[in-house]
Amino acid sequence: RIEAMYIRPVARGRDLFGALVPYGRVWTPSADSAMRLSFSTDVTVAGQALKAGSYSVWTIPDTAQWTIVFNTKPSAFHLTHSAADDVLKVTARLDSPTHVETLTLSFPAVDGRNAVMQIHWGTRAVALPITVP
């Protein structure tokens, strides 16, 4: 089981990536508090092992790919990332789908022990494969 908690920011006509969300800087895909993901069992994320538990999720957006960071502090204010508590960093290729006004975390593909988690806001989206070994 995967549980997610986040507060969905809204674009409201603003320039998002490279402006409101600077490239190359740590950002959480949530408003006010960091995105939190909880896994009931050990998983692999983009081929890398991640233990069961709860994590805050942070990203480092760039123009071609994002770094997705899992941090052992599951509850955090959206501006208080602590790199010392990072346990996993993976990269995800950036896609440019149609615009969504409100940030969305979804699982567009789920099949047995495999899933794809997608973070989508504005015209930018990244997807990560998640597998239960």
Side-chain angles (χ1 to χ4, degrees), residues 73-122:
K73 302 292 183 191
S75 297
F77 181 64
H78 72 115
L79 299 175
T80 58
H81 173 254
S82 170
D85 297 310
D86 294 346
V87 292
L88 179 64
K89 290 182 180 182
V90 295
T91 58
R93 183 178 53 85
L94 184 63
D95 290 323
S96 297
T98 59
H99 178 83
V100 295
E101 183 68 9
T102 305
L103 187 138
T104 302
L105 174 72
S106 64
F107 294 86
V110 178
D111 180 22
R113 295 180 174 268
N114 301 297
V116 173
M117 180 184 84
Q118 182 183 62
I119 300 169
H120 183 181
W121 195 28

Side-chain angles (χ1 to χ4, degrees), residues 2-3 7 25 30-34 46 48-49 51-52 55 57 63 70 72-73 81 83-84 89 111 116 126 128-129:
I2 300 172
E3 293 181 359
I7 300 169
R25 292 183 47 197
S30 183
D32 298 326
S33 60
Q48 302 296 313
K51 295 280 186 193
Y55 301 90
V57 177
T63 57
F70 292 83
T72 59
K73 302 292 183 191
H81 173 254
K89 290 182 180 182
D111 180 22
V116 173
V126 292
L128 288 176

